[in-house]
Amino acid sequence: DAGVIQSPRHEVTEMGQEVTLRCKPISGHNSLFWYRQTMMRGLELLIYFNNNVPIDDSGMPEDRFSAKMPNASFSTLKIQPSEPRDSAVYFCASSPSGGGGYTFGSGTRLTVV
Amino acid sequence: SQQGEEDPQALSIQEGENATMNCSYKTSINNLQWYRQNSGRGLVHLILIRSNEREKHSGRLRVTLDTSKKSSSLLITASRAADTASYFCATDARYGNNRLAFGKGNQVVVIP
């Protein structure tokens, strides 16, 4: 397995633009997580899916953020409109159901100017 | 906060020395996990210790868990330059149900 695959690796966009981050979890992993990492706040859990269903999106900072998981092999995190304070590294992770270690993707470094 | 909190924040050691990091948490947990993050990369799962376990080993890594003190330690023995990274502990205390909250991380620099 190639691991959790995220794209793009880097994204630079202007304030107000829409940004879409993509994630392909490990096949067979039932849980998918989106995290945001900044120097100030560390790793923050944004949203958690189990069997493609959003279970907890209480970490999504604002309505500008939305996430979908249309099938077991694909998830997106969308920011519309983007703002400079959204600049961060966004990680997707997956894990088997029932607990256990997470497998993280390499992250998307987002810069909003 | 109920998530793990590592101590100390930064550690610089010579190659071959041991490195120890500590993590504390505030409520009951099902398990505690340690991860490593190299610069510019994603986190890599190192080891998971369950609440009914006291110690676990994996290669040069040794993790202890003291649920009475709500703390854990990660020991890296005979450190190598390649161990230079940030190390995070994570627990399911804050969110429950397999959702992990991560501490702020310990930066470890191993000097060749």
Side-chain angles (χ1 to χ4, degrees):
Chain A
D1 200 319
V4 175
I5 299 172
Q6 290 187 247
S7 64
R9 284 298 310 274
H10 302 274
E11 177 81 35
V12 180
T13 191
E14 291 185 345
M15 182 174 62
Q17 296 297 306
E18 177 180 296
V19 175
T20 299
L21 312 181
R22 297 172 177 79
C23 175
K24 177 177 169 32
I26 287 180
S27 177
H29 281 190
N30 294 349
S31 299
L32 184 140
F33 310 85
W34 283 99
Y35 282 84
R36 177 172 68 177
Q37 186 178 37
T38 61
M39 289 291 292
M40 290 294 293
R41 305 179 105 135
L43 276 156
E44 302 172 278
L45 177 62
L46 301 179
I47 187 167
Y48 159 51
F49 291 87
N50 192 46
N51 292 323
N52 314 338
V53 176
I55 303 299
D56 182 3
D57 65 355
S58 60
M60 298 285 259
E62 298 171 35
D63 290 345
R64 300 183 295 105
F65 286 70
S66 62
K68 294 182 179 179
M69 192 165 185
N71 57 63
S73 59
F74 184 65
S75 177
T76 59
L77 177 68
K78 185 178 292 187
I79 308 172
Q80 165 64 19
S82 57
E83 296 182 3
R85 59 194 167 120
D86 301 331
S87 296
V89 182
Y90 290 81
F91 287 103
C92 174
S94 69
S95 79
S97 59
Y102 289 8
T103 301
F104 278 79
S106 297
T108 295
R109 181 174 294 276
L110 173 65
T111 303
V112 183
V113 297
Chain B
S1 169
Q2 297 178 349
Q3 64 191 33
E5 298 177 1
E6 298 87 357
D7 173 55
Q9 297 293 312
L11 184 64
S12 183
I13 57 174
Q14 294 289 328
E15 199 166 32
E17 293 181 339
N18 296 341
T20 301
M21 289 153 272
N22 298 307
C23 168
S24 61
Y25 55 93
K26 293 188 175 153
T27 62
S28 61
I29 59 172
N30 292 312
N31 65 69
L32 184 144
Q33 304 181 30
W34 285 91
Y35 288 78
R36 182 186 73 230
Q37 183 179 33
N38 292 93
S39 180
R41 309 294 293 272
L43 282 74
V44 174
H45 179 253
L46 295 176
I47 198 163
L48 179 155
I49 186 165
R50 301 194 186 282
S51 59
N52 61 353
E53 297 175 310
R54 292 296 166 258
E55 187 170 313
K56 207 159 182 181
H57 296 255
S58 176
R60 293 183 295 112
L61 304 180
R62 173 177 167 254
V63 170
T64 62
L65 179 64
D66 187 334
T67 52
S68 67
K69 295 181 179 178
K70 293 184 169 58
S71 67
S72 173
S73 68
L74 171 68
L75 169 68
I76 305 173
T77 61
S79 62
R80 304 168 182 170
D83 296 327
T84 294
S86 292
Y87 292 83
F88 295 83
C89 77
T91 73
D92 57 0
R94 181 173 182 180
Y95 301 115
N97 291 333
N98 192 33
R99 286 168 284 180
L100 296 178
F102 287 81
K104 292 290 175 67
N106 274 300
Q107 185 168 3
V108 175
V109 175
V110 181
I111 303 166

